[in-house]
Amino acid sequence: MSTPGFLADGLAGKMSQDECDALHFEMNGPTELKVNGRPLKFEPYAYRPYPAAIYGVWTDDRKRQAILDEARAKGLDLKQPLQREEAESNIPKWDSRLVGSDRERQDWLNKGWTDNPDDVDQARDSYIANTIAVAAAERAHTDRRMSEPAKAEFQAADRANGEEHLLDLPVPPLNKPRGRPRKTAA
């Protein structure tokens, strides 16, 4: 499709709004074509916000499936290291999904996804930082409500774990014998 003459001549900035609207309708308006003698009519372009693409970090299962799909499409043998690398290099570095509404989009954004594929790493880091902050706040809240012996037990477990905060104490092994107790003759 060629550029209209008045745009090619550099007159685009000198057009009135009515001329711009007419040009827009001409370029995006309804189209009628004939295919095999049958008329086909295409409606004019209308903006629809959904479905929209949203981007995030690959999960292991979805990345594995994408690699398998790529290998099947190109006839690659994933047992061969070079062919596996080729399949991995052909998939994008981010995962994508289609969302159908504002609510669904907001749910995915709250899970660390983003509208722009270039922002995936930053959105993932922000999501991880927020998740850690929420866990730390919950731990601080429960620490305030614990008894002194429970606080001492948690502090000992934290020190044993390299001064990292544990969200829950490790469960000590039970020293009870397995199975049902034997009947005693009475």
Side-chain angles (χ1 to χ4, degrees), residues 8-26:
D9 294 338
L11 300 176
K14 299 176 185 173
M15 293 175 55
S16 69
Q17 185 61 41
D18 292 335
E19 291 171 325
C20 288
D21 291 341
L23 178 63
H24 178 77
F25 182 78
E26 181 65 33

Side-chain angles (χ1 to χ4, degrees), residues 131-146 166-167:
T131 304
I132 291 171
V134 167
E138 288 172 354
R139 168 71 192 274
H141 176 70
T142 56
D143 282 354
R144 275 188 266 142
R145 302 182 70 207
M146 279 192 231
L166 298 176
L167 297 179

Side-chain angles (χ1 to χ4, degrees), residues 22-171:
L23 178 63
H24 178 77
F25 182 78
E26 181 65 33
M27 300 302 245
N28 299 308
T31 307
E32 292 185 25
L33 298 173
K34 286 193 176 186
V35 176
N36 295 333
R38 294 186 342 210
L40 290 176
K41 183 175 181 181
F42 296 98
E43 294 299 319
Y45 169 78
Y47 173 74
R48 294 182 314 168
Y50 295 101
I54 195 159
Y55 306 92
V57 178
W58 285 106
T59 61
D60 291 338
D61 291 338
R62 284 186 55 96
K63 186 168 187 175
R64 185 179 308 114
Q65 188 60 45
I67 291 171
L68 287 172
D69 292 344
E70 181 70 21
R72 283 188 194 115
K74 298 210 171 160
L76 300 174
D77 181 13
L78 295 178
K79 294 177 185 173
Q80 304 294 326
L82 292 177
Q83 291 184 14
R84 179 175 176 81
E85 286 179 17
E86 180 182 345
E88 288 177 353
S89 68
N90 288 335
I91 63 170
K93 66 179 184 174
W94 57 81
D95 191 5
S96 64
R97 296 174 189 249
L98 290 178
V99 293
S101 66
D102 270 336
R103 183 180 181 121
E104 187 179 359
R105 177 181 166 273
Q106 193 59 46
D107 288 344
W108 282 107
L109 291 177
N110 291 340
K111 293 178 184 176
W113 287 55
T114 181
D115 291 323
N116 186 350
D118 296 333
D119 298 336
V120 169
D121 293 333
Q122 181 182 358
R124 182 197 62 225
D125 295 343
S126 170
Y127 175 72
I128 290 171
N130 287 341
T131 304
I132 291 171
V134 167
E138 288 172 354
R139 168 71 192 274
H141 176 70
T142 56
D143 282 354
R144 275 188 266 142
R145 302 182 70 207
M146 279 192 231
S147 65
E148 290 304 317
K151 286 181 185 178
E153 188 177 351
F154 256 103
Q155 288 173 353
D158 284 343
R159 280 193 302 273
N161 196 40
E163 296 297 326
E164 289 186 18
H165 286 294
L166 298 176
L167 297 179
D168 202 2
L169 285 176
V171 178

